[in-house]
Every structure is written in structure tokens, then in C-alpha cells.
Amino acid sequence: MTFVIGAACVDVLDRACVEECPVDCIYTGDRMAYIHPTECVDCGACEPVCPVEAISLAEDVAAGQEGFVTANAAFFDVALPGRDTPLGSPGGAAVVGDLGVDTPFVAEYRK
């Protein structure tokens, strides 16, 4: 079980969760942030600081937002646009910085 970031984060990208995460597992794309599913230790520190309540456990994601569970994992497991290889597990968001690209699901998402 891990935390995921949902639709409320799209085009908000507040980064309060990034600053709060003790293991640096929240990476930033262009339109939203993504939680690395294997680097996350399920501490929950990110959830209460999100100003738009976009973070939830994967199993508790709101109805209609199931695609964000897949998109969070795909951000790390599938080569993102403009990249030849998947991001994988680089060992922390600070190592890679803002990536400036999203999964196709998020890039095309309309609220």
C-alpha cells in the first residue's frame, strides 16, 4: 500500500508535500507531483499538508480517480515523453529535480 496524488493536484503543484516528505519520494512533473510507490514508506506525513487534499492511500482513492493510481506508478515505470528510459528508482527526488513532464494520462487530463 502506498500513497498517491490525485486530480486535485493537477495544475496546482503546491509542493508542500515535497517539503514534508522525510524520504524524498515525491517527484514533480509539469502539471502535478507523483509519489514513488516503492520509495514511499507510508508514513503519511504528506497527506495532511496538502492544501487541496489530493493525497490518499492508493486503496482509498476517490471514485473516478483510479487512473491516478496507474499514472503515479507509470511516472516511474514507463519512459516519459522525451525520455528514452523509465525514471525507475533514482533514490530521491532531489537527485533528479523537477522533471517538467507528465505521464500522458496527466498531460491530457481535463478537470
Side-chain angles (χ1 to χ4, degrees):
M1 165 174 24
T2 189
F3 285 87
V4 297
I5 298 176
C9 184
V10 176
D11 296 328
V12 174
L13 207 56
D14 173 76
R15 291 185 173 82
C17 59
V18 174
E19 295 170 14
E20 192 69 26
C21 180
V23 294
D24 195 30
C25 73
I26 303 176
Y27 295 71
T28 53
D30 182 43
R31 297 181 69 197
M32 70 174 271
Y34 302 81
I35 298 175
H36 197 293
T38 58
E39 292 178 3
C40 178
V41 296
D42 301 330
C43 71
C46 58
E47 188 178 22
V49 299
C50 179
V52 294
E53 300 179 354
I55 302 172
S56 66
L57 287 169
E59 64 187 23
D60 295 335
V61 70
Q65 291 197 32
E66 297 84 358
F68 284 93
V69 175
T70 304
N72 270 264
F75 189 78
F76 306 99
D77 297 339
V78 178
L80 296 168
R83 298 180 63 96
D84 295 328
T85 60
L87 184 58
S89 186
V95 173
V96 296
D98 288 349
L99 290 162
V101 65
D102 293 298
T103 63
F105 175 84
V106 172
E108 298 167 9
Y109 185 78
R110 300 291 173 243
K111 289 186 177 182

Coordinates of all heavy atoms in Angstrom, one line a residue:
M1 N 0.9 -1.2 0.0 CA 0.0 0.0 0.0 C 0.9 1.2 0.0 O 1.9 1.3 0.6 CB -0.9 -0.1 1.2 CG -1.6 1.2 1.6 SD -2.7 1.0 3.0 CE -2.2 -0.4 3.9
T2 N 0.5 2.2 -0.7 CA 1.3 3.5 -0.8 C 0.3 4.6 -1.0 O -0.9 4.4 -1.3 CB 2.3 3.4 -1.9 OG1 3.2 4.5 -1.9 CG2 1.7 3.4 -3.3
F3 N 0.8 5.8 -0.9 CA 0.0 7.0 -1.1 C 0.2 7.4 -2.6 O 1.2 7.1 -3.2 CB 0.5 8.1 -0.2 CG 0.1 8.0 1.2 CD1 0.8 7.2 2.1 CD2 -1.1 8.6 1.7 CE1 0.4 7.1 3.4 CE2 -1.5 8.4 3.0 CZ -0.7 7.7 3.9
V4 N -0.9 8.0 -3.1 CA -0.9 8.5 -4.5 C -1.4 9.9 -4.5 O -2.1 10.3 -3.5 CB -1.7 7.6 -5.4 CG1 -1.1 6.3 -5.6 CG2 -3.1 7.6 -5.0
I5 N -1.1 10.6 -5.5 CA -1.6 12.0 -5.7 C -2.7 12.0 -6.8 O -2.4 11.4 -7.8 CB -0.5 13.0 -6.0 CG1 0.5 13.0 -4.8 CG2 -1.0 14.4 -6.3 CD1 1.8 13.8 -5.0
G6 N -3.8 12.6 -6.5 CA -4.9 12.6 -7.4 C -5.2 13.9 -8.2 O -4.3 14.8 -8.2
A7 N -6.3 14.0 -8.8 CA -6.7 15.1 -9.7 C -6.6 16.5 -9.1 O -6.3 17.4 -9.8 CB -8.1 14.8 -10.2
A8 N -6.8 16.6 -7.8 CA -6.8 17.9 -7.2 C -5.5 18.6 -7.3 O -5.4 19.8 -7.3 CB -7.3 17.9 -5.7
C9 N -4.4 17.8 -7.5 CA -3.1 18.4 -7.6 C -2.8 19.0 -9.0 O -1.9 19.8 -9.2 CB -2.0 17.4 -7.3 SG -0.3 18.0 -7.3
V10 N -3.5 18.5 -10.0 CA -3.2 18.9 -11.4 C -3.4 20.4 -11.5 O -4.4 21.0 -11.1 CB -4.2 18.2 -12.4 CG1 -4.0 18.7 -13.8 CG2 -4.0 16.6 -12.3
D11 N -2.3 21.0 -12.0 CA -2.2 22.4 -12.2 C -2.1 23.3 -10.9 O -2.2 24.5 -11.0 CB -3.3 23.0 -13.1 CG -3.2 22.4 -14.5 OD1 -2.1 22.1 -15.0 OD2 -4.3 22.2 -15.2
V12 N -2.0 22.6 -9.8 CA -1.8 23.3 -8.5 C -0.3 23.2 -8.1 O 0.3 24.2 -7.9 CB -2.7 22.7 -7.4 CG1 -2.4 23.4 -6.1 CG2 -4.1 23.0 -7.8
L13 N 0.2 22.0 -8.0 CA 1.6 21.7 -7.7 C 2.2 22.6 -6.6 O 3.2 23.3 -6.8 CB 2.4 21.9 -9.0 CG 3.7 21.1 -9.1 CD1 3.5 19.6 -9.0 CD2 4.4 21.3 -10.5
D14 N 1.5 22.6 -5.5 CA 1.9 23.4 -4.3 C 3.2 23.1 -3.7 O 3.9 24.0 -3.2 CB 0.8 23.2 -3.2 CG 1.1 23.9 -1.9 OD1 1.0 25.1 -1.9 OD2 1.5 23.2 -1.0
R15 N 3.6 21.8 -3.7 CA 4.9 21.3 -3.2 C 5.1 21.3 -1.7 O 6.1 21.0 -1.2 CB 6.1 22.1 -3.8 CG 6.3 21.9 -5.3 CD 7.6 22.6 -5.8 NE 7.9 22.2 -7.2 CZ 7.4 22.8 -8.2 NH1 6.4 23.7 -8.1 NH2 7.7 22.4 -9.4
A16 N 4.0 21.5 -1.0 CA 4.1 21.4 0.5 C 4.4 19.9 0.9 O 5.1 19.7 1.8 CB 2.8 21.8 1.2
C17 N 3.8 19.0 0.1 CA 4.1 17.6 0.3 C 5.5 17.2 0.1 O 6.1 16.4 0.8 CB 3.2 16.7 -0.5 SG 3.4 17.0 -2.3
V18 N 6.1 17.8 -0.9 CA 7.5 17.6 -1.3 C 8.4 18.0 -0.1 O 9.3 17.2 0.3 CB 7.9 18.3 -2.5 CG1 9.4 18.2 -2.8 CG2 7.1 17.8 -3.8
E19 N 8.1 19.1 0.5 CA 8.9 19.6 1.6 C 8.8 18.8 2.8 O 9.7 18.7 3.6 CB 8.6 21.1 1.8 CG 8.9 22.0 0.7 CD 8.4 23.4 0.8 OE1 7.9 23.8 1.9 OE2 8.4 24.1 -0.2
E20 N 7.6 18.2 3.0 CA 7.3 17.5 4.2 C 7.8 16.0 4.2 O 8.0 15.4 5.2 CB 5.8 17.5 4.4 CG 5.3 17.0 5.8 CD 5.7 17.9 6.9 OE1 5.9 19.1 6.7 OE2 5.9 17.4 8.1
C21 N 7.9 15.5 3.0 CA 8.3 14.0 2.9 C 9.7 13.7 3.4 O 10.7 14.3 3.0 CB 8.3 13.6 1.4 SG 8.7 11.9 1.1
P22 N 9.7 12.9 4.4 CA 11.0 12.6 5.1 C 12.0 11.7 4.3 O 13.2 11.6 4.5 CB 10.6 11.9 6.4 CG 9.4 11.2 6.1 CD 8.7 12.2 5.1
V23 N 11.4 11.0 3.2 CA 12.3 10.1 2.4 C 12.4 10.6 1.0 O 13.0 9.9 0.1 CB 11.7 8.7 2.4 CG1 11.8 8.1 3.8 CG2 10.3 8.6 1.9
D24 N 12.0 11.8 0.7 CA 12.2 12.5 -0.6 C 11.7 11.6 -1.8 O 12.3 11.5 -2.8 CB 13.7 12.8 -0.8 CG 14.0 13.7 -1.9 OD1 13.2 14.6 -2.2 OD2 15.1 13.6 -2.5
C25 N 10.4 11.1 -1.6 CA 9.9 10.2 -2.6 C 8.8 10.9 -3.5 O 8.1 10.2 -4.2 CB 9.4 8.9 -2.0 SG 7.8 9.1 -1.1
I26 N 8.6 12.2 -3.4 CA 7.6 12.9 -4.1 C 8.3 13.7 -5.2 O 9.1 14.7 -5.0 CB 6.7 13.8 -3.3 CG1 6.1 12.9 -2.2 CG2 5.7 14.5 -4.1 CD1 5.3 13.7 -1.2
Y27 N 8.1 13.3 -6.5 CA 8.8 13.9 -7.6 C 7.8 14.8 -8.3 O 6.6 14.6 -8.3 CB 9.2 12.8 -8.6 CG 10.2 11.8 -8.0 CD1 9.9 10.9 -7.0 CD2 11.5 11.9 -8.5 CE1 10.9 10.1 -6.4 CE2 12.5 11.0 -7.9 CZ 12.2 10.1 -6.9 OH 13.1 9.3 -6.4
T28 N 8.3 15.8 -9.0 CA 7.4 16.8 -9.7 C 7.6 16.7 -11.2 O 8.7 16.7 -11.7 CB 7.7 18.2 -9.2 OG1 9.1 18.5 -9.3 CG2 7.3 18.4 -7.7
G29 N 6.4 16.7 -11.8 CA 6.3 16.7 -13.2 C 6.0 18.1 -13.7 O 6.4 19.1 -13.0
D30 N 5.3 18.3 -14.7 CA 4.9 19.6 -15.2 C 3.6 20.1 -14.6 O 3.6 21.2 -14.1 CB 4.7 19.5 -16.7 CG 4.4 20.9 -17.3 OD1 5.1 21.9 -16.9 OD2 3.5 21.0 -18.2
R31 N 2.6 19.2 -14.5 CA 1.3 19.7 -14.0 C 1.0 19.2 -12.6 O 0.1 19.7 -12.0 CB 0.2 19.2 -14.9 CG 0.3 19.8 -16.3 CD -0.9 19.3 -17.2 NE -2.1 19.8 -16.7 CZ -3.3 19.4 -17.1 NH1 -3.4 18.3 -17.9 NH2 -4.4 19.9 -16.6
M32 N 1.7 18.2 -12.1 CA 1.5 17.6 -10.8 C 2.7 16.9 -10.2 O 3.7 16.7 -10.9 CB 0.2 16.7 -10.8 CG 0.4 15.4 -11.5 SD -1.0 14.3 -11.3 CE -0.6 13.5 -9.8
A33 N 2.5 16.5 -9.0 CA 3.6 15.7 -8.3 C 3.2 14.2 -8.3 O 2.0 13.9 -8.4 CB 3.8 16.2 -6.9
Y34 N 4.2 13.4 -8.1 CA 4.0 11.9 -8.1 C 4.7 11.3 -7.0 O 5.9 11.7 -6.7 CB 4.5 11.3 -9.4 CG 3.9 11.9 -10.7 CD1 4.3 13.1 -11.2 CD2 2.9 11.2 -11.3 CE1 3.8 13.6 -12.4 CE2 2.3 11.7 -12.5 CZ 2.7 12.9 -13.0 OH 2.2 13.4 -14.2
I35 N 4.1 10.3 -6.3 CA 4.7 9.6 -5.2 C 5.3 8.3 -5.7 O 4.6 7.5 -6.3 CB 3.7 9.4 -4.0 CG1 3.2 10.7 -3.5 CG2 4.4 8.5 -3.0 CD1 2.2 10.6 -2.4
H36 N 6.6 8.1 -5.5 CA 7.2 6.9 -5.9 C 6.7 5.7 -5.1 O 6.8 5.7 -3.9 CB 8.7 6.9 -5.8 CG 9.4 5.9 -6.6 ND1 9.3 4.6 -6.3 CD2 10.2 6.0 -7.7 CE1 10.1 3.9 -7.1 NE2 10.6 4.7 -8.0
P37 N 6.0 4.7 -5.7 CA 5.4 3.6 -5.0 C 6.3 2.7 -4.2 O 5.8 2.2 -3.2 CB 4.6 2.9 -6.0 CG 5.3 3.2 -7.3 CD 5.9 4.5 -7.2
T38 N 7.5 2.6 -4.5 CA 8.4 1.7 -3.7 C 9.3 2.5 -2.8 O 9.8 2.0 -1.8 CB 9.3 0.8 -4.6 OG1 10.0 1.6 -5.5 CG2 8.4 -0.2 -5.3
E39 N 9.5 3.8 -3.1 CA 10.3 4.6 -2.2 C 9.5 5.1 -1.0 O 10.0 5.5 0.0 CB 11.0 5.8 -2.9 CG 12.0 5.4 -3.9 CD 12.6 6.5 -4.7 OE1 12.2 7.7 -4.5 OE2 13.4 6.3 -5.6
C40 N 8.2 5.3 -1.2 CA 7.3 5.7 -0.1 C 7.3 4.7 1.0 O 7.1 3.5 0.8 CB 5.9 5.9 -0.7 SG 4.7 6.4 0.5
V41 N 7.4 5.2 2.2 CA 7.4 4.3 3.4 C 6.1 4.4 4.1 O 5.9 3.9 5.3 CB 8.6 4.7 4.4 CG1 9.9 4.4 3.7 CG2 8.5 6.1 4.9
D42 N 5.1 5.0 3.5 CA 3.7 5.0 4.0 C 3.6 5.7 5.4 O 2.8 5.4 6.2 CB 3.1 3.6 4.2 CG 3.0 2.9 2.8 OD1 2.9 3.6 1.8 OD2 3.1 1.7 2.8
C43 N 4.4 6.7 5.6 CA 4.4 7.5 6.9 C 3.2 8.4 7.0 O 2.8 8.7 8.1 CB 5.7 8.2 7.1 SG 5.9 9.7 6.0
G44 N 2.7 8.9 5.8 CA 1.5 9.7 5.8 C 1.8 11.2 6.1 O 0.9 12.0 6.2
A45 N 3.1 11.6 6.2 CA 3.4 13.0 6.5 C 2.9 13.9 5.4 O 2.6 15.1 5.7 CB 4.9 13.1 6.7
C46 N 2.8 13.5 4.2 CA 2.4 14.3 3.1 C 0.9 14.6 3.1 O 0.5 15.7 2.7 CB 2.8 13.7 1.8 SG 2.1 12.0 1.5
E47 N 0.1 13.7 3.5 CA -1.3 13.8 3.4 C -1.9 15.1 4.1 O -2.6 15.8 3.4 CB -2.0 12.5 3.9 CG -3.5 12.5 3.6 CD -4.1 11.2 4.1 OE1 -3.5 10.5 4.9 OE2 -5.2 10.9 3.6
P48 N -1.6 15.3 5.3 CA -2.3 16.5 6.0 C -1.8 17.8 5.5 O -2.4 18.8 5.8 CB -2.0 16.2 7.5 CG -0.7 15.4 7.5 CD -0.8 14.5 6.3
V49 N -0.6 17.9 4.9 CA -0.1 19.2 4.5 C -0.6 19.6 3.1 O -0.4 20.8 2.7 CB 1.4 19.3 4.6 CG1 1.9 19.1 6.0 CG2 2.1 18.4 3.6
C50 N -1.2 18.7 2.4 CA -1.7 19.0 1.0 C -2.8 20.0 1.1 O -3.9 19.7 1.7 CB -2.1 17.8 0.3 SG -2.7 18.1 -1.4
P51 N -2.7 21.2 0.6 CA -3.8 22.2 0.7 C -5.0 21.9 -0.1 O -6.1 22.5 0.2 CB -3.1 23.5 0.2 CG -2.1 23.0 -0.7 CD -1.6 21.7 -0.2
V52 N -4.9 21.0 -1.1 CA -6.1 20.6 -1.9 C -6.6 19.2 -1.6 O -7.4 18.7 -2.4 CB -5.8 20.9 -3.4 CG1 -5.6 22.4 -3.7 CG2 -4.6 20.1 -3.9
E53 N -6.0 18.6 -0.6 CA -6.4 17.2 -0.2 C -6.3 16.2 -1.4 O -7.2 15.4 -1.6 CB -7.8 17.2 0.4 CG -7.9 18.0 1.7 CD -9.2 18.1 2.3 OE1 -10.2 17.5 1.8 OE2 -9.3 18.7 3.4
A54 N -5.2 16.3 -2.2 CA -5.1 15.4 -3.3 C -4.4 14.1 -3.0 O -4.4 13.2 -3.9 CB -4.2 16.2 -4.4
I55 N -3.9 13.9 -1.8 CA -3.2 12.7 -1.4 C -4.0 11.7 -0.6 O -4.7 12.1 0.3 CB -1.9 13.1 -0.7 CG1 -1.0 14.0 -1.5 CG2 -1.1 11.8 -0.3 CD1 0.1 14.6 -0.7
S56 N -4.0 10.5 -1.1 CA -4.7 9.4 -0.4 C -4.0 8.1 -0.5 O -3.1 8.0 -1.4 CB -6.1 9.3 -0.9 OG -6.1 8.8 -2.2
L57 N -4.3 7.1 0.3 CA -3.8 5.8 0.1 C -4.4 5.3 -1.3 O -5.5 5.6 -1.7 CB -4.3 4.9 1.2 CG -3.6 5.1 2.5 CD1 -4.2 4.3 3.6 CD2 -2.1 4.7 2.4
A58 N -3.6 4.5 -2.0 CA -4.0 4.0 -3.3 C -5.3 3.3 -3.2 O -6.2 3.4 -4.1 CB -2.9 3.1 -3.9
E59 N -5.5 2.5 -2.1 CA -6.7 1.7 -2.0 C -7.9 2.6 -1.6 O -9.1 2.2 -1.7 CB -6.6 0.6 -1.0 CG -6.3 1.1 0.4 CD -6.0 0.0 1.4 OE1 -5.6 -1.1 0.9 OE2 -6.2 0.2 2.6
D60 N -7.7 3.9 -1.2 CA -8.8 4.8 -0.8 C -9.0 5.9 -1.8 O -9.7 6.9 -1.5 CB -8.5 5.4 0.5 CG -8.5 4.3 1.6 OD1 -9.1 3.3 1.5 OD2 -7.8 4.6 2.6
V61 N -8.4 5.8 -3.0 CA -8.6 6.9 -4.0 C -10.1 7.1 -4.3 O -10.8 6.1 -4.4 CB -7.7 6.6 -5.3 CG1 -8.3 5.5 -6.1 CG2 -7.6 7.8 -6.1
A62 N -10.5 8.3 -4.5 CA -11.9 8.6 -4.8 C -12.4 8.0 -6.1 O -11.6 7.8 -7.0 CB -12.0 10.1 -4.9
A63 N -13.6 7.6 -6.1 CA -14.2 7.0 -7.3 C -14.0 7.9 -8.5 O -14.1 9.2 -8.4 CB -15.7 6.8 -7.1
G64 N -13.7 7.3 -9.6 CA -13.4 8.1 -10.8 C -12.0 8.6 -10.9 O -11.6 9.1 -12.0
Q65 N -11.1 8.4 -9.9 CA -9.8 8.8 -10.0 C -8.8 7.6 -10.0 O -7.6 7.8 -9.8 CB -9.4 9.7 -8.8 CG -10.1 11.1 -8.9 CD -9.5 12.1 -8.0 OE1 -8.3 12.1 -7.7 NE2 -10.4 13.0 -7.5
E66 N -9.3 6.5 -10.3 CA -8.4 5.3 -10.3 C -7.3 5.4 -11.3 O -6.2 4.9 -11.1 CB -9.2 4.0 -10.6 CG -10.3 3.7 -9.6 CD -11.6 4.5 -9.8 OE1 -11.8 5.3 -10.7 OE2 -12.5 4.2 -9.0
G67 N -7.4 6.2 -12.3 CA -6.4 6.4 -13.3 C -5.1 7.1 -12.7 O -4.0 6.9 -13.2
F68 N -5.3 7.8 -11.6 CA -4.2 8.4 -11.0 C -3.3 7.4 -10.2 O -2.1 7.7 -10.1 CB -4.6 9.6 -10.1 CG -5.1 10.8 -10.8 CD1 -6.4 11.0 -11.2 CD2 -4.1 11.7 -11.2 CE1 -6.8 12.1 -12.0 CE2 -4.5 12.8 -12.0 CZ -5.8 13.0 -12.3
V69 N -3.8 6.3 -9.8 CA -3.0 5.3 -9.2 C -2.1 4.7 -10.3 O -0.9 4.6 -10.1 CB -3.9 4.1 -8.6 CG1 -3.0 3.0 -8.1 CG2 -4.8 4.7 -7.5
T70 N -2.6 4.4 -11.4 CA -1.8 3.9 -12.5 C -0.8 5.0 -13.0 O 0.3 4.7 -13.3 CB -2.7 3.5 -13.7 OG1 -3.7 2.6 -13.2 CG2 -2.0 2.9 -14.9
A71 N -1.3 6.2 -13.1 CA -0.4 7.3 -13.6 C 0.8 7.5 -12.6 O 1.9 7.8 -13.0 CB -1.2 8.6 -13.7
N72 N 0.5 7.5 -11.3 CA 1.6 7.6 -10.3 C 2.7 6.5 -10.5 O 3.9 6.8 -10.6 CB 1.1 7.5 -8.9 CG 0.7 8.9 -8.3 OD1 1.5 9.6 -7.7 ND2 -0.5 9.3 -8.7
A73 N 2.3 5.3 -10.7 CA 3.3 4.2 -11.0 C 3.9 4.4 -12.3 O 5.1 4.2 -12.5 CB 2.6 2.9 -10.9
A74 N 3.2 4.7 -13.4 CA 3.7 4.9 -14.7 C 4.8 6.0 -14.8 O 5.7 5.9 -15.6 CB 2.6 5.2 -15.7
F75 N 4.7 7.0 -14.0 CA 5.6 8.1 -14.0 C 7.1 7.5 -13.8 O 8.0 8.1 -14.3 CB 5.3 9.1 -12.9 CG 6.1 10.3 -12.9 CD1 5.8 11.3 -13.8 CD2 7.2 10.5 -12.0 CE1 6.6 12.5 -13.8 CE2 7.9 11.7 -12.0 CZ 7.6 12.7 -13.0
F76 N 7.2 6.4 -13.1 CA 8.5 5.8 -12.8 C 8.8 4.6 -13.6 O 9.9 4.2 -13.8 CB 8.5 5.4 -11.3 CG 8.2 6.6 -10.4 CD1 6.9 6.8 -9.9 CD2 9.2 7.6 -10.1 CE1 6.6 7.9 -9.1 CE2 8.9 8.7 -9.4 CZ 7.6 8.9 -8.8
D77 N 7.7 3.9 -14.1 CA 7.9 2.6 -14.7 C 7.9 2.6 -16.3 O 8.3 1.6 -16.9 CB 6.8 1.6 -14.3 CG 6.9 1.3 -12.8 OD1 8.0 1.5 -12.2 OD2 5.9 0.9 -12.2
V78 N 7.4 3.7 -16.8 CA 7.3 3.8 -18.3 C 8.1 5.1 -18.7 O 8.1 6.1 -18.0 CB 5.8 4.0 -18.7 CG1 5.7 4.2 -20.2 CG2 5.0 2.8 -18.2
A79 N 8.8 4.9 -19.9 CA 9.6 6.1 -20.4 C 8.6 7.3 -20.6 O 7.6 7.1 -21.3 CB 10.3 5.7 -21.6
L80 N 8.9 8.4 -20.0 CA 8.1 9.6 -20.1 C 8.4 10.3 -21.4 O 9.4 10.0 -22.0 CB 8.4 10.6 -19.0 CG 8.0 10.0 -17.6 CD1 8.6 10.9 -16.5 CD2 6.5 10.0 -17.4
P81 N 7.5 11.1 -21.9 CA 7.7 11.8 -23.2 C 9.1 12.5 -23.2 O 9.4 13.2 -22.2 CB 6.5 12.8 -23.3 CG 5.4 12.1 -22.5 CD 6.1 11.4 -21.4
G82 N 9.9 12.3 -24.2 CA 11.2 13.0 -24.3 C 12.3 12.2 -23.6 O 13.4 12.7 -23.7
R83 N 12.0 11.1 -23.0 CA 13.0 10.3 -22.3 C 13.1 8.9 -23.0 O 12.1 8.4 -23.5 CB 12.6 10.1 -20.9 CG 12.6 11.4 -20.1 CD 12.3 11.2 -18.6 NE 13.3 10.4 -17.9 CZ 14.3 10.9 -17.2 NH1 14.4 12.2 -17.1 NH2 15.1 10.1 -16.6
D84 N 14.3 8.3 -23.0 CA 14.5 7.0 -23.7 C 14.2 5.9 -22.7 O 13.9 4.8 -23.2 CB 15.9 6.9 -24.2 CG 16.2 7.9 -25.4 OD1 15.2 8.2 -26.1 OD2 17.3 8.3 -25.5
T85 N 14.4 6.1 -21.4 CA 14.2 5.0 -20.5 C 13.3 5.5 -19.3 O 13.2 6.7 -19.1 CB 15.6 4.6 -19.9 OG1 16.2 5.7 -19.2 CG2 16.5 4.1 -21.0
P86 N 12.7 4.6 -18.6 CA 11.9 4.9 -17.4 C 12.8 5.6 -16.3 O 14.0 5.3 -16.2 CB 11.3 3.6 -16.9 CG 11.4 2.7 -18.1 CD 12.6 3.1 -18.9
L87 N 12.2 6.4 -15.5 CA 12.9 7.0 -14.4 C 13.4 6.0 -13.4 O 14.4 6.1 -12.9 CB 12.0 8.1 -13.8 CG 12.5 8.9 -12.6 CD1 13.7 9.7 -13.1 CD2 11.5 9.8 -12.1
G88 N 12.6 5.0 -13.2 CA 12.9 3.9 -12.3 C 12.9 4.5 -10.8 O 12.1 5.2 -10.4
S89 N 13.9 4.1 -10.1 CA 14.1 4.5 -8.7 C 15.4 5.2 -8.5 O 16.4 4.6 -8.1 CB 13.9 3.3 -7.7 OG 13.9 3.7 -6.4
P90 N 15.4 6.5 -8.7 CA 16.7 7.2 -8.6 C 17.2 7.4 -7.2 O 18.3 8.0 -7.0 CB 16.4 8.5 -9.4 CG 15.0 8.7 -9.3 CD 14.4 7.3 -9.2
G91 N 16.4 7.1 -6.2 CA 16.8 7.3 -4.9 C 16.5 8.6 -4.2 O 17.1 9.0 -3.2
G92 N 15.6 9.3 -4.8 CA 15.2 10.6 -4.2 C 14.9 11.6 -5.2 O 15.6 11.7 -6.2
A93 N 13.9 12.4 -5.0 CA 13.5 13.5 -5.9 C 14.6 14.6 -6.1 O 14.7 15.1 -7.1 CB 12.2 14.1 -5.5
A94 N 15.3 14.8 -5.0 CA 16.3 15.9 -5.1 C 17.4 15.5 -6.1 O 18.1 16.4 -6.7 CB 17.0 16.1 -3.7
V95 N 17.6 14.2 -6.3 CA 18.7 13.8 -7.2 C 18.3 14.2 -8.7 O 19.2 14.6 -9.4 CB 18.8 12.2 -7.2 CG1 19.7 11.7 -8.3 CG2 19.3 11.8 -5.8
V96 N 17.0 14.2 -9.0 CA 16.6 14.5 -10.4 C 16.0 15.9 -10.6 O 16.0 16.4 -11.7 CB 15.7 13.4 -10.9 CG1 16.3 12.1 -11.0 CG2 14.4 13.3 -10.1
G97 N 15.5 16.5 -9.5 CA 14.9 17.8 -9.6 C 13.6 17.7 -10.3 O 13.0 16.7 -10.6
D98 N 13.0 18.9 -10.6 CA 11.8 18.9 -11.4 C 12.0 18.3 -12.8 O 12.9 18.8 -13.5 CB 11.3 20.4 -11.5 CG 10.8 21.0 -10.2 OD1 10.6 20.2 -9.2 OD2 10.5 22.2 -10.1
L99 N 11.1 17.4 -13.1 CA 11.2 16.7 -14.4 C 10.5 17.5 -15.5 O 10.9 17.3 -16.7 CB 10.7 15.3 -14.3 CG 11.6 14.4 -13.5 CD1 11.0 13.2 -13.0 CD2 12.9 14.1 -14.3
G100 N 9.5 18.3 -15.2 CA 8.9 19.1 -16.2 C 8.1 18.4 -17.3 O 7.8 18.9 -18.4
V101 N 7.8 17.1 -17.0 CA 7.0 16.3 -17.9 C 6.1 15.4 -17.1 O 6.4 15.1 -16.0 CB 7.9 15.5 -18.8 CG1 8.7 14.5 -18.0 CG2 7.2 14.8 -20.0
D102 N 4.9 15.0 -17.7 CA 4.0 14.2 -17.0 C 3.7 12.9 -17.8 O 4.1 12.9 -19.0 CB 2.6 15.0 -16.9 CG 2.8 16.1 -15.9 OD1 3.0 15.9 -14.7 OD2 2.5 17.3 -16.3
T103 N 3.0 12.0 -17.2 CA 2.5 10.9 -17.9 C 1.5 11.4 -18.9 O 0.9 12.4 -18.7 CB 1.8 9.8 -17.0 OG1 0.7 10.5 -16.4 CG2 2.8 9.3 -15.9
P104 N 1.3 10.6 -20.0 CA 0.3 11.1 -21.0 C -1.1 11.3 -20.3 O -1.9 12.2 -20.7 CB 0.3 10.0 -22.0 CG 1.7 9.5 -22.0 CD 2.1 9.5 -20.5
F105 N -1.5 10.4 -19.4 CA -2.8 10.5 -18.7 C -2.9 11.9 -18.0 O -3.9 12.5 -18.2 CB -2.9 9.4 -17.6 CG -4.1 9.5 -16.8 CD1 -5.3 9.0 -17.2 CD2 -4.1 10.1 -15.5 CE1 -6.5 9.1 -16.5 CE2 -5.2 10.2 -14.7 CZ -6.4 9.7 -15.2
V106 N -1.9 12.3 -17.3 CA -2.0 13.6 -16.6 C -1.8 14.8 -17.6 O -2.5 15.8 -17.5 CB -0.9 13.7 -15.5 CG1 -0.8 15.1 -14.9 CG2 -1.2 12.7 -14.4
A107 N -0.9 14.6 -18.6 CA -0.8 15.7 -19.6 C -2.1 16.0 -20.3 O -2.3 17.2 -20.6 CB 0.3 15.3 -20.6
E108 N -2.9 15.0 -20.5 CA -4.1 15.2 -21.3 C -5.3 15.4 -20.4 O -6.4 15.6 -20.8 CB -4.4 14.0 -22.2 CG -3.3 13.8 -23.2 CD -3.3 12.5 -23.9 OE1 -4.3 11.7 -23.7 OE2 -2.4 12.2 -24.7
Y109 N -5.1 15.3 -19.0 CA -6.2 15.4 -18.1 C -6.9 16.7 -18.1 O -6.2 17.8 -18.1 CB -5.7 15.0 -16.7 CG -6.9 15.0 -15.7 CD1 -7.7 13.9 -15.6 CD2 -7.1 16.0 -14.8 CE1 -8.7 13.8 -14.7 CE2 -8.1 16.0 -13.9 CZ -8.9 14.9 -13.8 OH -9.9 14.8 -12.9
R110 N -8.2 16.7 -18.1 CA -9.0 17.9 -18.1 C -9.9 17.9 -16.8 O -10.6 16.9 -16.7 CB -9.9 18.1 -19.3 CG -9.1 18.2 -20.6 CD -8.2 19.5 -20.6 NE -7.3 19.5 -21.8 CZ -6.0 19.5 -21.7 NH1 -5.4 19.5 -20.6 NH2 -5.3 19.5 -22.8
K111 N -9.9 18.9 -16.0 CA -10.7 18.9 -14.8 C -12.2 19.2 -15.2 O -12.5 19.8 -16.1 CB -10.2 20.0 -13.9 CG -8.9 19.6 -13.2 CD -8.6 20.6 -12.2 CE -7.3 20.2 -11.5 NZ -6.9 21.1 -10.4

